[in-house]
Amino acid sequence: MAPVLSVEDLSVSMTDRDGKLVPVLENLSFSVDRGRTIALVGESGCGKSMTALAIMRLLPEGFVVTSGRILLEGEDVLTARNQRMRALRGDTVSMVFQEPMTALNPLYTVGDQIAEALYHHRNLSRREANEQAVEFLKAVQIPAAEHRAKTYPHQMSGGMRQRVMIAMAIACKPKLLIADEPTTALDVTVQAQIFDLLAKLQEETETAIVLITHDLGAVAELADDIAVLYAGRCIETGPSQEIAARPRHPYTRGLLACMPHLAIGQPKPSVWVDLGEIPGMVPGLGNRGPDCAFLARCSYASEVCRSQPQPPLGAIDTGHAVSCWLAREIAA
Ligand SMILES: Nc1ncnc2c1ncn2[C@@H]1O[C@H](COP(=O)(O)OP(=O)(O)OP(=O)(O)O)[C@@H](O)[C@H]1O
Ligand SMILES: [Mg+2]
């Protein structure tokens, strides 16, 4: 069976003021099977949201896909007609956006917004759609759902709005759910509840999930696989347990070292454990050379790194691939 989502060699560029194409994502590949979760992780600006938006075919103005394919159950998203794409969004794939307010319409009650999606995608009558909207609000554990269905987004707390977004995203039972930082700006207990909710929904519906988050703790619990992005490229990918236990790329090791609670009971990466964060910054768009984008920040960097171009993403173990000239030495 084809994976629910397959991203193959995807590259995205942005047109700058002079009309020049600047790479945003380069040669990204990953896939997600039914009932599985892949986490996209990496610092701010690494290209996580752009990956999500490319899959939804909702890239902002000025961004273009320059190579690759995106397949949803084998169907090419990039060549689909607009009308087909609108049907796919909602039916096959839906997304929880990083900013709930950008996705919710302030002029409609939350119940009406969910009902509208059900009416269009699920062939329900208005009345059935309204009833089911309330059921979905209950499913995401919104108290007094009948009453809340009649309120407007601005009358709700951030956590409630996030739940409404999730209710809307799952209402049409998509095969693929993309959750872009579904818990940013929420307090820790609500974060945990939302992650639990996603796990429960997945168990019930076998939805494939692309989870975008900075929270490697949540990743280790929820995700089957991880793709670590750095400056628009995948620099390490594999089963999440394997990566949490044996990170190979210095960047992944740095990210994990920023998450002390994750390292409990596991061999700690030897560097940066005490730093709390990775020194330096992700190179901005247009400032990426042909060599390893992490070079300037890497405490392992050696002669080979300085003299060679960006290392390819090479398999190091079953399903575990790393883009680092020193991956084998670091493991040893
Ligand atoms: N609307 C936009 N116009 C121009 N550049 C943008 C726009 N949105 C994002 N970018 C740039 O594209 C690159 C990838 O951004 P993206 O939003 O995918 O990062 P991200 O990994 O989602 O970061 P974050 O964790 O902060 O959400 C970044 O360099 C960012 O500055
Ligand atoms: Mg983002």
Side-chain angles (χ1 to χ4, degrees):
M1 210 183 356
V4 177
L5 170 70
S6 173
V7 173
E8 299 174 356
D9 200 38
L10 175 70
S11 297
V12 169
S13 288
M14 188 191 81
T15 318
D16 70 8
R17 270 189 226 134
D18 308 325
K20 216 176 80 209
L21 283 178
V22 180
V24 177
L25 297 175
E26 291 178 67
N27 310 105
L28 204 59
S29 296
F30 60 89
S31 63
V32 203
D33 288 326
R34 209 169 140 191
R36 307 278 290 178
T37 299
I38 189 168
L40 305 184
V41 302
E43 286 164 292
S44 195
C46 282
K48 304 179 298 294
S49 293
M50 287 304 149
T51 306
L53 293 171
I55 297 166
M56 297 293 288
R57 224 171 78 185
L58 292 173
L59 283 172
E61 185 85 26
F63 287 72
V64 283
V65 174
T66 52
S67 79
R69 296 201 305 170
I70 298 171
L71 306 177
L72 275 176
E73 296 193 304
E75 181 173 351
D76 195 336
V77 166
L78 299 175
T79 57
R81 288 168 169 271
N82 288 341
Q83 193 188 4
R84 175 70 187 140
M85 199 58 223
R86 277 194 293 274
L88 285 174
R89 279 185 222 120
D91 273 351
T92 309
V93 54
S94 56
M95 178 160 166
V96 177
F97 289 86
Q98 200 163 355
E99 298 293 332
M101 282 315 265
T102 59
L104 293 174
N105 190 327
L107 301 177
Y108 293 91
T109 66
V110 297
D112 281 350
Q113 293 185 54
I114 299 171
E116 192 66 18
L118 287 164
Y119 176 73
H120 282 293
H121 291 284
R122 289 280 122 168
N123 264 334
L124 299 179
S125 70
R126 288 280 176 197
R127 204 178 126 211
E128 285 167 327
N130 285 330
E131 282 168 8
Q132 282 218 5
V134 172
E135 290 308 309
F136 277 104
L137 291 175
K138 285 183 189 161
V140 294
Q141 286 150 29
I142 289 191
E146 282 92 355
H147 166 72
R148 293 287 170 110
K150 299 191 187 89
T151 59
Y152 292 86
H154 71 266
Q155 295 171 307
M156 304 185 117
S157 69
M160 285 296 158
R161 281 201 288 264
Q162 205 72 10
R163 282 161 202 248
V164 170
M165 281 246 296
I166 294 174
M168 219 156 86
I170 59 168
C172 298
K173 300 212 164 43
K175 306 275 173 52
L176 175 71
L177 178 69
I178 304 175
D180 191 357
E181 303 279 1
T183 62
T184 323
L186 302 181
D187 74 55
V188 185
T189 18
V190 182
Q191 281 186 16
Q193 285 170 4
I194 289 194
F195 283 131
D196 283 350
L197 186 67
L198 287 177
K200 190 164 147 260
L201 292 166
Q202 185 173 47
E203 211 168 282
E204 284 163 12
T205 58
E206 291 218 288
T207 313
I209 299 180
V210 175
L211 175 67
I212 297 175
T213 178
H214 288 94
D215 184 350
L216 282 178
V219 168
E221 266 175 49
L222 275 180
D224 302 292
D225 297 294
I226 297 183
V228 184
L229 303 194
Y230 187 75
R233 296 176 181 137
C234 178
I235 53 92
E236 180 156 13
T237 182
S240 56
Q241 302 287 346
E242 164 73 10
I243 289 189
R246 280 175 290 281
R248 297 295 183 90
H249 197 288
Y251 179 62
T252 315
R253 296 168 76 97
L255 283 181
L256 285 165
C258 301
M259 297 278 153
H261 59 284
L262 196 77
I264 295 169
Q266 285 170 356
K268 278 192 180 177
S270 56
V271 286
W272 292 322
V273 162
D274 300 318
L275 288 177
E277 62 180 40
I278 307 168
M281 271 166 60
V282 187
L285 295 181
N287 289 328
R288 297 169 192 170
D291 49 7
C292 173
F294 193 58
L295 185 62
R297 302 173 73 184
C298 185
S299 64
Y300 290 83
S302 73
E303 203 37 51
V304 61
C305 311
R306 291 185 191 94
S307 60
Q308 297 289 324
Q310 171 77 24
L313 189 64
I316 197 143
D317 213 332
T318 319
H320 188 174
V322 186
S323 154
C324 175
W325 293 115
L326 305 174
R328 289 187 190 280
E329 286 167 45
I330 288 173

